[in-house]
Amino acid sequence: MSNIINWFEIPVQDLQRATAFYAHCINAQFRQEHVAGMSMAVFHYQEPSTGGALVKSETLQPSTDGTVVYLYTADIAASLQKVAEKGGSCCFGPEILPDDIGTIALIIDSEGNKVGLHQPA
């Protein structure tokens, strides 16, 4: 096992809106899939990196409570500005972490999820 996390899913109400939000805010690229009755926008990744997707499903609901996934950004200040441009908000940070870990912030995305952003040092 190289990573404890091997996949993540971020619930959405509107897949097109959420895809546009993350493409704009962190320059994410996606491929569209339909798996097990769920519409998904899979974040671009290359093995051995961890993969994940935005998922529209009746069994998943966006939330600000619970698990937080941190997504990479090369420029957290620019990403936070773009979050606001797309109707999201910053609810924590940005906060510089010790020991050259980088900078983090928590946002509320276009769907109402709390999601972390991380800019490595």
Side-chain angles (χ1 to χ4, degrees):
M1 172 174 66
S2 60
N3 292 313
I4 191 68
I5 298 171
N6 63 6
W7 184 257
F8 66 88
E9 294 178 348
I10 300 174
V12 303
Q13 293 291 330
D14 183 323
L15 190 58
Q16 184 176 358
R17 177 179 61 205
T19 301
F21 179 87
Y22 285 101
H24 180 77
C25 296
I26 62 170
N27 299 318
Q29 297 177 349
F30 300 92
R31 73 173 185 272
Q32 303 296 316
E33 292 187 4
H34 192 77
V35 178
M38 296 184 292
S39 296
M40 307 173 88
V42 178
F43 287 93
H44 174 75
Y45 70 99
Q46 293 180 315
E47 297 289 344
S49 296
T50 300
L54 303 173
V55 179
K56 177 152 178 62
S57 169
E58 292 181 15
T59 62
L60 300 173
Q61 296 300 316
S63 174
T64 59
D65 301 321
T67 303
V68 176
V69 174
Y70 283 80
L71 302 176
Y72 166 84
T73 179
D75 185 341
I76 202 161
S79 291
L80 290 173
Q81 181 176 351
K82 291 176 180 181
V83 164
E85 291 170 4
K86 281 294 207 181
S89 63
C90 179
C91 61
F92 173 81
E95 179 79 17
I96 298 171
L97 300 176
D99 302 320
D100 290 326
I101 294 170
T103 304
I104 62 168
L106 293 173
I107 65 164
I108 305 301
D109 73 6
S110 63
E111 307 306 296
N113 291 298
K114 185 182 293 180
V115 176
L117 299 179
H118 176 235
Q119 176 186 324

